Amino acid sequence: MHPFDEAIALERMADGSFQGRTSPAYANMVGPFGGIMAAQLLNAVMQHPDRLGEPVAFTVNFAAAMANGPFTVAARPARTNRSTQHWMIELTQAGNTALTATAVTALRRETWSLNEIDIPVAAPPAQVPAQHRAVPLDWVERYEMRPVTGALPEVWEGTDSGSSLTQLWVRDDPARPLDFCSLTALADVFFPRVYVRRATRVPIGTVSMTVYFMPIRNNSLAPARAICLGRRARNPFATVSLTRPRSCGTRLGNFWPRRIKLCISKSRRMMAVSGVKRFA
């Protein structure tokens, strides 16, 4: 089993809740990587027998630091309409709330669509050196990252770089086809913008993160291709671009996500994600 699938595995209990455990493979500085926990909560919705349609929007709020060990996820549809369904999700550990989330799922219908943001230009991934062990964290080893620009500074000297833009190729390591849960985790792989801009280590923590999904069906290369639309943060600290090519191999598991562009805002105590994302 892929490490990601092991990490987000849930067991449905008799009362309808789900039991899970943190994964050492996705350990962060304090507790688990936030992206993997967000994927856990979305996975509870994906596995719920009452789910209608596919994810459209997902917001996760990190109320407290997670401890290593077991936890419980409760997911319930707060309202089900003809085409949309609204979810409330809560993760508790040792009787205390650690994460909350909301999700919207929907039946997909034919509709008008348009891209208003151009895909950034970047060299193919084979021409971009991989960034190995950028920071000594286990979760970083679960992703292959190839920064085009805006990598973490090599010297932490507190100098303003003049830009907090990051462009990189990224995929699961070992490679894994993208789905809704893995794309949710990928939305949290960016290091704090203040690190890139100021080359200064400061306390940082994600408080809230939102991902929007717009899948396109009938793609023969992967289970889903998506354009994910998000809103720009009200006071964005920086703009971040993530781009990805069509493929990097012949097997399904080797396909890179096609392209993604994000705007990310990170400060000492908050992060907002928005922009346009697309993957094959």
Side-chain angles (χ1 to χ4, degrees):
M1 184 181 293
H2 193 281
F4 180 83
D5 296 298
E6 291 182 350
I8 68 168
L10 296 172
E11 180 183 0
R12 186 168 173 82
M13 310 305 291
D15 63 357
S17 66
F18 294 89
Q19 293 290 318
R21 295 188 63 87
T22 58
S23 171
Y26 288 86
N28 204 348
M29 290 180 291
V30 178
F33 168 50
I36 204 69
M37 300 313 303
Q40 281 271 20
L41 270 64
L42 183 61
N43 196 30
V45 174
M46 298 302 293
Q47 293 191 25
H48 201 286
D50 295 334
R51 174 171 61 89
L52 174 72
E54 297 174 337
V56 173
F58 177 73
T59 297
V60 58
N61 306 301
F62 300 88
M66 288 281 298
N68 293 321
F71 56 82
T72 301
V73 179
R76 67 176 180 87
R79 182 180 177 92
T80 301
N81 300 319
R82 185 171 62 90
S83 299
T84 62
Q85 194 172 45
H86 302 259
W87 290 83
M88 307 292 293
I89 312 124
E90 181 181 21
L91 184 150
T92 58
Q93 193 174 49
N96 298 314
T97 299
L99 281 76
T100 63
T102 58
V104 178
T105 61
L107 296 175
R108 301 290 178 173
R109 304 183 188 279
E110 292 296 326
T111 185
W112 177 86
S113 64
L114 176 70
N115 274 350
E116 292 189 345
I117 299 179
D118 294 332
I119 297 174
V121 177
Q127 299 178 16
V128 180
Q131 177 177 267
H132 295 290
R133 204 69 174 179
V135 290
L137 300 173
D138 291 302
W139 75 264
V140 176
E141 294 298 297
R142 305 284 77 79
Y143 294 99
E144 180 182 347
M145 302 186 191
R146 297 175 177 265
V148 177
T149 185
L152 280 180
E154 296 183 0
V155 179
W156 297 84
E157 55 187 5
T159 302
D160 190 336
S161 66
S163 174
S164 48
L165 176 68
T166 291
Q167 289 183 311
L168 73 152
W169 299 105
V170 59
R171 64 176 174 181
D172 291 282
D173 188 8
R176 178 188 183 278
L178 275 176
D179 54 29
F180 291 107
C181 290
S182 61
L183 178 60
T184 298
L186 279 173
D188 198 31
V189 303
F190 292 98
F191 299 111
R193 297 298 87 206
V194 66
Y195 291 175
V196 176
R197 182 65 187 256
R198 297 180 55 199
T200 301
R201 294 184 178 94
V202 296
I204 187 73
T206 302
V207 172
S208 186
M209 181 176 72
T210 296
V211 183
Y212 297 88
F213 310 92
M214 187 180 297
I216 301 173
R217 295 184 176 278
N218 301 323
N219 182 2
S220 61
L221 298 182
R225 184 177 65 166
I227 302 172
C228 303
L229 302 177
R231 295 180 301 182
R232 184 178 299 275
R234 178 170 297 178
N235 293 303
F237 178 79
T239 299
V240 185
S241 296
L242 164 62
T243 62
R244 307 176 179 187
R246 294 187 178 181
S247 65
C248 185
T250 56
R251 294 185 296 107
L252 179 63
N254 278 345
F255 282 104
W256 287 80
R258 180 160 296 181
R259 306 266 177 163
I260 287 185
K261 182 172 182 179
L262 301 172
C263 296
I264 284 197
S265 169
K266 279 196 175 184
S267 65
R268 291 186 60 174
R269 296 301 303 166
M270 75 178 205
M271 181 184 81
V273 178
S274 63
V276 175
K277 316 172 204 174
R278 178 171 63 187
F279 66 84

